[in-house]
Amino acid sequence: MHPYHIYISGVGGQGIIKTSVIMGEAAMKKGLPVVVGEIHGMSQRGGVVSTQMKIGVSHSPLIEEGNADLILAFEPLEAVRSLKMINKDSYVVMNTAPIYPFNLSQSENSYPDLSTILSELRSHAKKVMAMDADEMAQKAGHILSMNMVMLGGAAAVPGFPLDKKSIIKSMHDNLPERSIPINLKAFEEGFKFCMSKL
Amino acid sequence: MNIKEILTGQEHDKLFLLGNEAAVRGALESGVAVATTYPGTPSSEIGNVLSVLAKDAGIYFEFSINEKVALEVAAAASASGLRSFTFMKHVGVNVASDSLMSVAYTSVQGGMVILTADDPSMFSSQNEQDNRYYARLANIPLLEASNPQEVKDLMKYAYELSEEFKLPVILRTTTRVSHMRGVVELGQLMGAKSKGHFDKDPNRFVPVPATARIMHKNLVKKMDKIGVLSNNSSLNPIYNKRGNIGIVTSGSAYNYVMDVVEENDLPVNVLKITFSYPFPEKRVYEFLENVERVLVVEEVDPIMEKEIMAVVGKHQLNKIIHGKLDGTLPMIYEYNPDIILQGLGKMMGVEMAAKKTVKTSLELPKRPPTLCPGCPHRAAYFEVKKAAENLNMNDLIFPTDIGCYTLGIEAPYEVADYLLSMGSSIGTSCGFSKATLQTVVSFIGDSTFFHAGIPPLINAVHNKNKFVLVILDNRTTAMTGGQPHPGLPVDGMGLEAPELSIPDIVRACGVEFVEIINPLNVAKSREIFEQALQFDKLAVVISQYPCMLIKTVEKKGKNIFLQVQDDICTNCNTCTTELSCPAIYTSDNGKTRIDELMCRKCSVCVQICPEKAIRAKRINKSGEGE
Ligand code: SF4
Ligand code: SF4
């Protein structure tokens, strides 16, 4: 089996590592080989963070450029920065809520419009599913459940190798018990939204 | 997964572990009794996990004051017959190296493993030095891991090797191995001895010239014997025996090689070197016999490449060696599958580039990491700069140090002019204050001050240097994830511990000007900085406020939120351009806004707004402001 490649990008502090651990453990418990490459350290302070993941037989978690099956972009600018990882068969699940770089006012380049970002992504990927995951998380009960909205979105992607049941089981294993109801709600919202866009 | 499963997991259980977590399990399966470190990315999580598990596991763990002390604590435990484990980032080994060189001579009794986590491409470091040289410098065995399972398994092997030959063993990982998460099958735990006994033997443990000469001879003899082991070790296997091209690789690079080889079904022979020092010359020689050309794939320096060339030279073989030295592969930075593919293409003279990749035509703003919203360092930086401005001092040098506050390098702060290593802020300030007439203001964090800041401070006083030293005391080792240090009332195992006072230490070093500020009080702090800048000797300002990420500290302003009053705000942009707190942004319609979720209510923006347009509002019961 060709391994399934997931590239997760966003900003330090968005819960990206947690999300990949939940997916990875779900894969492991299904008996699938899985490797994840994480970024820890300095970039976690509000810098660009990406996690790469391969489900299926492989040695390294690093994905060759143009080889990601799925991009989970927690932030729109970082979605564009991940463009080199995609091909015309890739799916993109994107959070539309921007986080502006802290020194944007001193930056040479401005933050692109959401519409520009979306058309750029759409012109290269098979399908882009964009949602305001921040708002959906708030509605589910807490902004910190945003990563579970994104995970729900991933679960809706055709070809995604993990089923909902095993992901939910893995959420129980990896999230504090009292946060489960909100996180489950967030997960379902993300899933429903992306299903409706297929 | 609950972190405790690293301890409670049974033999044959499978856990999804980070390379660093696997190292902890490896230590527990090896009966390690004493473990020490100074936190440093990419090795930090080993200590974080040990600090949670040590008590239950019945082992001793400490965050030592620096890597040299960490290595010394471990060496003594080992000399007393216990198994010891010390681990650090690559540059930490520089700090520990003085004692490391000697422990190779004195030898160990209980097994001793030194894990070095190298950082190719410098994700979190000041350099990407290749610590495989340390095995050569000290002349001790080196193992290189490629994935979490190997990290765990090699820990066990390293202890066996260490105890058999009574030598410390280096286990090298890189960032991509330390921070790679994979499925790890557990082995059996081994109980640790609780106490050892040191049997005196000065001929063995005290390297003075007469004894050291004998020790060195013994070391060389042992390493000859270990060389036989590495040559015949199953840790250096050959894969995929096809064709007449060979690849020799190790560590993380091995993973990329195998992915590329398997994905493209390439007819090449791969020799994986895990037991990499003493270098398995004989194994390489046998491998070379069956191939015509070899590509050496290693991170970061061309170490194996040169060793292989030495084999070719020694045996006058007619083989071509490709790698970094002939430009087939890049000389620096970490590798990835794309780089390997290109290198193989170059070597075979064919275009092997990956699928055509998409490049965006959009010009994107960068996203450098930055201090957290409400970070007390940001306030201190703002105040120092204002104080200097008020005094018309405009030729300042800002030596800085290693920690979150190094992020002060970015605009608008630009308070990082010179950095060498841990503690260098103070030592280099001594130099700048002697070499120039410029005003020197240097910054060091609390943990870094303990690590390497005290001897240079004494040097500064004794040699009558004049500069301002700002100790940014946020009561934690923030950058690496919040480990304790000697300035806190708790130790690495979570037990109560004596708390050392930084102001007392500074005064005891003979500094006359010692002031403590709360950096969130802008006017008062600026005033103190002005006094410090005008003082005619060394002045130390200790800026005390806890890191915003410390969860247990009572945070201010639970019932307030901050808002910009549009009718008062003149869009002067002082808050966005001079303070640049990430929680403050300019909205699409040009208005200054505060992101309520990001804001930590430190109130610094309220104090610095020249129009007094930022106001704190009380949150009433319905959640609305009033
Ligand atoms: S982690 Fe603490 S010290 Fe580091 S930037 Fe954030 S608030 Fe500042
Ligand atoms: S109070 Fe102002 S400076 Fe402090 S975190 Fe909030 S927005 Fe940033």
PDB file of all heavy atoms in Angstrom, chain B residues 42-57:
ATOM      1  N   PRO B  42      17.028  19.835  20.781  1.00  0.00           N
ATOM      2  CA  PRO B  42      15.924  18.874  20.725  1.00  0.00           C
ATOM      3  C   PRO B  42      15.936  17.739  21.756  1.00  0.00           C
ATOM      4  O   PRO B  42      15.305  16.721  21.498  1.00  0.00           O
ATOM      5  CB  PRO B  42      16.083  18.302  19.314  1.00  0.00           C
ATOM      6  CG  PRO B  42      17.544  18.342  19.053  1.00  0.00           C
ATOM      7  CD  PRO B  42      18.075  19.516  19.800  1.00  0.00           C
ATOM      8  N   SER B  43      16.582  17.886  22.902  1.00  0.00           N
ATOM      9  CA  SER B  43      16.574  16.767  23.846  1.00  0.00           C
ATOM     10  C   SER B  43      15.596  16.973  25.004  1.00  0.00           C
ATOM     11  O   SER B  43      15.401  16.080  25.826  1.00  0.00           O
ATOM     12  CB  SER B  43      17.989  16.549  24.410  1.00  0.00           C
ATOM     13  OG  SER B  43      18.300  17.578  25.332  1.00  0.00           O
ATOM     14  N   SER B  44      14.967  18.141  25.068  1.00  0.00           N
ATOM     15  CA  SER B  44      14.227  18.546  26.285  1.00  0.00           C
ATOM     16  C   SER B  44      13.200  17.546  26.786  1.00  0.00           C
ATOM     17  O   SER B  44      13.046  17.360  27.990  1.00  0.00           O
ATOM     18  CB  SER B  44      13.515  19.874  26.055  1.00  0.00           C
ATOM     19  OG  SER B  44      14.388  20.825  25.538  1.00  0.00           O
ATOM     20  N   GLU B  45      12.458  16.915  25.874  1.00  0.00           N
ATOM     21  CA  GLU B  45      11.346  16.061  26.332  1.00  0.00           C
ATOM     22  C   GLU B  45      11.833  14.863  27.142  1.00  0.00           C
ATOM     23  O   GLU B  45      11.072  14.301  27.917  1.00  0.00           O
ATOM     24  CB  GLU B  45      10.501  15.586  25.149  1.00  0.00           C
ATOM     25  CG  GLU B  45       9.757  16.692  24.410  1.00  0.00           C
ATOM     26  CD  GLU B  45      10.642  17.466  23.458  1.00  0.00           C
ATOM     27  OE1 GLU B  45      11.771  16.997  23.186  1.00  0.00           O
ATOM     28  OE2 GLU B  45      10.236  18.549  23.005  1.00  0.00           O
ATOM     29  N   ILE B  46      13.089  14.472  26.959  1.00  0.00           N
ATOM     30  CA  ILE B  46      13.590  13.350  27.767  1.00  0.00           C
ATOM     31  C   ILE B  46      13.508  13.741  29.242  1.00  0.00           C
ATOM     32  O   ILE B  46      13.001  12.988  30.079  1.00  0.00           O
ATOM     33  CB  ILE B  46      15.051  13.000  27.402  1.00  0.00           C
ATOM     34  CG1 ILE B  46      15.188  12.745  25.899  1.00  0.00           C
ATOM     35  CG2 ILE B  46      15.525  11.786  28.191  1.00  0.00           C
ATOM     36  CD1 ILE B  46      16.627  12.496  25.447  1.00  0.00           C
ATOM     37  N   GLY B  47      13.986  14.944  29.542  1.00  0.00           N
ATOM     38  CA  GLY B  47      13.960  15.414  30.924  1.00  0.00           C
ATOM     39  C   GLY B  47      12.543  15.666  31.417  1.00  0.00           C
ATOM     40  O   GLY B  47      12.207  15.357  32.557  1.00  0.00           O
ATOM     41  N   ASN B  48      11.720  16.230  30.551  1.00  0.00           N
ATOM     42  CA  ASN B  48      10.339  16.505  30.973  1.00  0.00           C
ATOM     43  C   ASN B  48       9.640  15.215  31.397  1.00  0.00           C
ATOM     44  O   ASN B  48       8.926  15.184  32.396  1.00  0.00           O
ATOM     45  CB  ASN B  48       9.551  17.166  29.844  1.00  0.00           C
ATOM     46  CG  ASN B  48      10.125  18.520  29.470  1.00  0.00           C
ATOM     47  OD1 ASN B  48      10.987  19.038  30.165  1.00  0.00           O
ATOM     48  ND2 ASN B  48       9.657  19.086  28.368  1.00  0.00           N
ATOM     49  N   VAL B  49       9.839  14.155  30.621  1.00  0.00           N
ATOM     50  CA  VAL B  49       9.179  12.892  30.945  1.00  0.00           C
ATOM     51  C   VAL B  49       9.805  12.274  32.202  1.00  0.00           C
ATOM     52  O   VAL B  49       9.099  11.825  33.099  1.00  0.00           O
ATOM     53  CB  VAL B  49       9.262  11.905  29.754  1.00  0.00           C
ATOM     54  CG1 VAL B  49       8.704  10.550  30.143  1.00  0.00           C
ATOM     55  CG2 VAL B  49       8.512  12.470  28.547  1.00  0.00           C
ATOM     56  N   LEU B  50      11.130  12.303  32.272  1.00  0.00           N
ATOM     57  CA  LEU B  50      11.785  11.742  33.460  1.00  0.00           C
ATOM     58  C   LEU B  50      11.359  12.465  34.729  1.00  0.00           C
ATOM     59  O   LEU B  50      11.194  11.855  35.787  1.00  0.00           O
ATOM     60  CB  LEU B  50      13.299  11.804  33.303  1.00  0.00           C
ATOM     61  CG  LEU B  50      13.921  10.600  32.604  1.00  0.00           C
ATOM     62  CD1 LEU B  50      15.379  10.873  32.273  1.00  0.00           C
ATOM     63  CD2 LEU B  50      13.798   9.329  33.445  1.00  0.00           C
ATOM     64  N   SER B  51      11.159  13.783  34.634  1.00  0.00           N
ATOM     65  CA  SER B  51      10.805  14.507  35.849  1.00  0.00           C
ATOM     66  C   SER B  51       9.417  14.089  36.334  1.00  0.00           C
ATOM     67  O   SER B  51       9.128  14.152  37.520  1.00  0.00           O
ATOM     68  CB  SER B  51      10.914  16.022  35.644  1.00  0.00           C
ATOM     69  OG  SER B  51       9.806  16.525  34.958  1.00  0.00           O
ATOM     70  N   VAL B  52       8.580  13.617  35.425  1.00  0.00           N
ATOM     71  CA  VAL B  52       7.264  13.115  35.839  1.00  0.00           C
ATOM     72  C   VAL B  52       7.378  11.683  36.385  1.00  0.00           C
ATOM     73  O   VAL B  52       6.697  11.318  37.340  1.00  0.00           O
ATOM     74  CB  VAL B  52       6.283  13.128  34.635  1.00  0.00           C
ATOM     75  CG1 VAL B  52       4.951  12.504  35.013  1.00  0.00           C
ATOM     76  CG2 VAL B  52       6.075  14.555  34.134  1.00  0.00           C
ATOM     77  N   LEU B  53       8.252  10.883  35.778  1.00  0.00           N
ATOM     78  CA  LEU B  53       8.256   9.443  36.099  1.00  0.00           C
ATOM     79  C   LEU B  53       9.270   9.019  37.160  1.00  0.00           C
ATOM     80  O   LEU B  53       9.122   7.958  37.772  1.00  0.00           O
ATOM     81  CB  LEU B  53       8.554   8.630  34.826  1.00  0.00           C
ATOM     82  CG  LEU B  53       7.583   8.778  33.662  1.00  0.00           C
ATOM     83  CD1 LEU B  53       8.006   7.844  32.537  1.00  0.00           C
ATOM     84  CD2 LEU B  53       6.163   8.486  34.093  1.00  0.00           C
ATOM     85  N   ALA B  54      10.313   9.826  37.366  1.00  0.00           N
ATOM     86  CA  ALA B  54      11.451   9.362  38.170  1.00  0.00           C
ATOM     87  C   ALA B  54      11.022   8.831  39.534  1.00  0.00           C
ATOM     88  O   ALA B  54      11.449   7.755  39.944  1.00  0.00           O
ATOM     89  CB  ALA B  54      12.463  10.496  38.324  1.00  0.00           C
ATOM     90  N   LYS B  55      10.162   9.588  40.228  1.00  0.00           N
ATOM     91  CA  LYS B  55       9.782   9.189  41.582  1.00  0.00           C
ATOM     92  C   LYS B  55       9.163   7.791  41.569  1.00  0.00           C
ATOM     93  O   LYS B  55       9.569   6.905  42.318  1.00  0.00           O
ATOM     94  CB  LYS B  55       8.777  10.201  42.143  1.00  0.00           C
ATOM     95  CG  LYS B  55       9.262  10.819  43.442  1.00  0.00           C
ATOM     96  CD  LYS B  55       8.186  11.637  44.144  1.00  0.00           C
ATOM     97  CE  LYS B  55       7.708  12.826  43.347  1.00  0.00           C
ATOM     98  NZ  LYS B  55       6.560  13.506  43.920  1.00  0.00           N
ATOM     99  N   ASP B  56       8.180   7.594  40.691  1.00  0.00           N
ATOM    100  CA  ASP B  56       7.507   6.293  40.629  1.00  0.00           C
ATOM    101  C   ASP B  56       8.452   5.190  40.165  1.00  0.00           C
ATOM    102  O   ASP B  56       8.299   4.029  40.544  1.00  0.00           O
ATOM    103  CB  ASP B  56       6.307   6.349  39.674  1.00  0.00           C
ATOM    104  CG  ASP B  56       5.193   7.224  40.234  1.00  0.00           C
ATOM    105  OD1 ASP B  56       5.267   7.541  41.449  1.00  0.00           O
ATOM    106  OD2 ASP B  56       4.284   7.602  39.477  1.00  0.00           O
ATOM    107  N   ALA B  57       9.399   5.565  39.312  1.00  0.00           N
ATOM    108  CA  ALA B  57      10.310   4.553  38.785  1.00  0.00           C
ATOM    109  C   ALA B  57      11.408   4.223  39.792  1.00  0.00           C
ATOM    110  O   ALA B  57      12.173   3.291  39.588  1.00  0.00           O
ATOM    111  CB  ALA B  57      10.938   5.046  37.480  1.00  0.00           C
TER     112      ALA B  57
END
